Amino acid sequence: MTRYFDRDISWMQFNERVLLEAAKKSVPLYERILFLSIFSSNLDEFFKVRYPALKIAARTKLKHKEPSALQQVQDLVKNQQNSFGNILREQILPELIEQKIHLYYNENFSNGHQQFANDFFYTQALSFLQPVILNKNEPAVLLQNNGLYFIVELQNESGNTFALINIPHENLSRFIIAPQTDDTSFILFLDDIVRSNVINIFPGYTVLGCYSIKMTRSADIDIVDENSDLFEEHLLEMIDEREKGVPTRMLYESVMPKDIVAFIAQYFDIELDSLVSGGRYHNLKDLARLPNPAGNALRYPSQIPLRHAKLSNHDSIFDAVDSGDHLLHFPFHTYSYILRFFNEAAIDPFVSEISVTLYRVATDSFITNALISAAKNGKKVTAFVELKARFDENNNLNWAKKMKAAGVKIIYSIPGIKVHAKLALVKRKHNFKSKYYSLVSTGNFNEQTAKFYTDHILLTKNPVITKEIDLLFAFLSARQDPKDYSFLRFPNLMVAGFNFLDKLSNLVDREIAHHQNGHKAGIIIKLNNLEDKDAIELLYKASNAGVKVELIVRGICCLIPGVKGMSENISVRKIIGRYLEHSRVYIFENKGDKVFFIGSADLMTRNIRRRIEVITPVYHEKCKQELLDIIDLQLNDNVQAVNIDENGEIIIPKTGLKEINSQELIYEYTKNL
C-alpha cells in the first residue's frame, strides 16, 4: 500500500467538500450559491497552477510505463462538474424560483425580456464587442486567460466560416436585472443577451450555431534576475507573459459539434487532453456576484465583529500589551486592533522603528498607509514586501513603490525564496527603557481577507520572542540565502529555512518518549495543507509509537490516516463553513503541561524548504487556554467537519444529541471571553 495520498487528488477531494456545502439544505440559499462560486474559482486556479505540472509528470511516467494521476484527476473533474450542474439546475434554480427570483438559465427569454435584452445589447453590450472572422491562414486570435467567448458558425454564398465574439464580462456585470413581473425578479446572463443577438452582429450571414468557449492558461512564471536593479520591470513583464501562457484547458460547450471542436483545437493549437467538455456557461465563479433581491434573508445571519475586553480597556494598544500577551481570533474579533497597532505606532513619539513583512496586501490598505504616515513622521520604517506572492505581485509592487516614495525602506524578495512569515515589530523607548512589541499572525496583514479568513494574531512584548523576531528582520534586510546565515540561532521560534523541521522532530520525539515512559502524550495540529513527506513520516513515527495524533487539515492532505501499522493512531478532519479555515496551530501534550505554537507554516515542502516561515510559542496561560478551547470545539464539530478515511473518502460524523458547529460556537465563545 502507498504511504501517501497524491497531492492533486487530495486537493480535488477538498474541492468536492466545498461542493458538498453547496448541496446542503441547512445552508442559506445565497451562501450555497457562493460555495458553487468558490468551487468554480478553485478549479480555475487548479488548471492555471497545478494542471500544467500534472501533464508533464504524466508524460514522464508514460515513458517509464508508470501510472499517473492525470486520468484520475480528469475523471474527478468530470464527475464534480456534473455534480455542480445537478446542484445548480435541480436545487438552486428551483429554490430561487420559490423565492420569486428567476435566473434565466439555458432557456429562452419571454417576449418582454427579449425586448429588454435587445435594448441592453444595442445600448451597452455592443460598445464592447469585437467580433472577428477566423482565418486559418492568419495567426490565431489571442484569447484572454479565462475570458469568455462564443465560437459562431456562419454561412453565406461563399460557404461556411467561423467567427469569434468576446463576452464583455469585465466591462459589464455578468448578471443583468430585468423588469419584474408578478412580484418575481428576473436575472439575465450577459452571455445570453449577446447570444440572442448574434444574428445582428453578422449581417449578410446565416448563423448556423453559437457555442461558448473559455481558455485557461498556465500561470507559472519563472522569476529571474532577482538581484537585478531592473527586477521590478522584469516582474511586470513576466506578469504580462502570464496572460499569454501555454493553454492548459479549452472548455467548450458540450453540444458543440465534433467538427467545430476539431477546428478550435487546430486553430488555437490545443492539445487533445486539454479539451474539456462543459456546460453552456463558464466562469461560474461569477455566481458570487449574483444579484440578491431578497437581501439578508437568504444569507447567514450577520456576526458583528467583537471587541476585545482587555485591549479596549486601555488608552494605548502598547499599554494593553504591557499588561500581558493577548490573542485575537479573526474574523470573530474586530480587526480594528491591528489597524490601531500600526496607526498608534505611526504617531507615538516614543516609537522609533517599525518593521513588518507583507505577503498579500489589501487593495485599499490602511496598514500600508499607516506605514507611509510613520515614515513621514520621522520613524524608521522597514517593510519586507514579497513580490512573488502569486496573483498579488502587481498589487504588492504598487504599494511598495508608494511606500518607498514616502521614505519607507523597502526590502524585496530573497532570491529563490518566498518570505511567507507574518510578523510586525515595533521598537519603543519610554522612561529611558527600550521595549519591543510584536505581532505574530497565522494570516496576512490584510484587513479585507480578515473578514472571512479564520486566523489568530498574538500581540506580545515577551523578550524571548521579540528579540528573535528582531534578529530575523536583520537577516531579511540582508536578502541572503539562509544557508549563508546558518549561524543565526532561534531557541524559541521555529523558523523555516533555519530550524523548523529539526524543532518539529524534537517535539515529536519528546511526545514519543513521554508516551513510552507512561506520561500523557499527544499531538494536535491544525493546518491548511499537509504534504511534506518528512513531516508525514514524523507523524507516522509518533502513531507507531502509540501517540495519538489529531489533525485538522482544510485542503491538501497526503497523510493516509487509520492504517494499521502505519497511522492507526492518526485521525484527519476537514472543516468547511461560512469562513475559510486558515489558522495554523501546533499543540503538544508534554506530560499534561501542553506546549502551544501558532504561525504561518503549513507542512508543505515549499513552506518548510523554500520559504521563510515563523511559528512562535504561546507562553501566556490565558492565550493557551483560548487556543485549547477553540481547537476543542473544532475537534468536536459534527456539523461543518468531516473525517477522512484511509481511502481518502469523506466520512460525515454522526450528529448525536447535540449539534456542534464550531464556527458558530467560536463566535459565542469569543463574545464571552
Side-chain angles (χ1 to χ4, degrees), residues 7 150 228 368 383 442 462 471 500 555 608 619 632:
R7 68 164 283 173
F150 286 129
S228 169
T368 49
T442 66
N462 189 323
L471 182 63
F500 183 87
I608 295 172
Y619 292 122
D632 187 59

Side-chain angles (χ1 to χ4, degrees), residues 162-178:
F162 297 104
L164 183 77
I165 306 173
N166 62 305
I167 301 171
H169 60 107
E170 291 188 340
N171 310 102
L172 299 168
S173 172
R174 184 81 186 278
F175 302 102
I176 311 301
I177 300 176

Side-chain angles (χ1 to χ4, degrees), residues 346-366:
I347 63 170
D348 189 326
F350 302 112
V351 169
S352 58
E353 295 183 36
I354 306 170
S355 300
V356 64
T357 58
L358 298 172
Y359 189 74
R360 296 193 190 277
V361 185
T363 305
D364 300 312
S365 174
F366 289 100

Side-chain angles (χ1 to χ4, degrees), residues 76 112 144 207 236 258 267 286 298 459 512 518 608 627:
L76 284 169
Q144 181 186 359
V207 175
L236 289 173
K258 290 182 179 180
Y267 178 81
D286 291 342
L298 302 180
L459 294 84
I512 292 172
I608 295 172
L627 284 174

